[in-house]
Amino acid sequence: MKNELNQTVSFYASVTDTRPDDANLYDLLVGDTYKSEVLAIRKERNPERQKAMKNKLPLFTPSGIFLRSDAKSLLQPTGLICIDIDGKDNAGANNFDRFKDLIAAVPYVVYCGLSVRGNGYFCIIPIASPAKFQQHFRAL
């Protein structure tokens, strides 16, 4: 897992930041720099406060290095795609809380983690052709 995730990605200090810095994807995923903030967000029960807290967190782009915060400014793709699977969109799914264990067993998923709010998962998957990113995204 580490080799595929040991890549440079764009890191934004906040949702309003338009000029990213470079960061290591693996370190962002397994580090605990923002752990206390994430745990506080998960404990918050007021959706508006939770959203405001989440918007103060930094964010990163697993799919590549970008010049600015728009899809057209991709400088270098990582060959990875990140998808979100939300609990609210899968309310009828049995054992959604076990999803992480199930999806982590899929051999082409290199990372599966709990979302910031704790109500869903995000998965990172290598793609065959970064030039066909949109086609891969739609297929997933």
Side-chain angles (χ1 to χ4, degrees):
M1 171 179 78
K2 183 175 181 179
N3 289 341
E4 291 176 282
L5 298 175
N6 189 22
Q7 299 197 46
T8 301
V9 297
S10 291
F11 176 85
Y12 299 84
S14 72
V15 295
T16 59
D17 193 6
T18 58
R19 300 280 181 185
D21 290 318
D22 290 345
N24 181 275
L25 178 60
Y26 181 81
D27 293 342
L28 291 168
L29 293 170
V30 302
D32 58 1
T33 304
Y34 304 99
K35 184 176 181 176
S36 62
E37 290 92 334
V38 170
L39 292 175
I41 291 168
R42 290 179 184 165
K43 285 182 182 178
E44 178 58 56
R45 293 295 158 225
N46 180 296
E48 284 77 36
R49 281 194 295 240
Q50 194 180 55
K51 182 178 181 179
M53 293 166 72
K54 181 181 174 189
N55 285 342
K56 291 179 183 176
L57 283 178
L59 53 130
F60 54 93
T61 57
S63 295
I65 301 171
F66 292 79
L67 180 62
R68 291 178 306 280
S69 61
D70 63 74
K72 294 177 185 171
S73 68
L74 177 65
L75 298 174
Q76 182 170 348
T78 59
L80 301 171
I81 193 166
C82 184
I83 61 169
D84 292 323
I85 303 170
D86 295 319
K88 67 180 177 187
D89 297 331
N90 295 282
N94 293 330
N95 298 323
F96 190 74
D97 56 330
R98 288 194 52 235
F99 179 78
K100 181 179 177 185
D101 297 330
L102 297 172
I103 199 70
V106 176
Y108 58 85
V109 174
V110 295
Y111 186 87
C112 182
L114 194 59
S115 67
V116 170
R117 291 188 187 191
N119 299 324
Y121 300 95
F122 69 99
C123 304
I124 299 178
I125 303 165
I127 56 176
S129 177
K132 295 181 178 180
F133 182 88
Q134 290 299 326
Q135 290 93 325
H136 284 289
F137 187 81
R138 283 192 293 277
L140 289 167

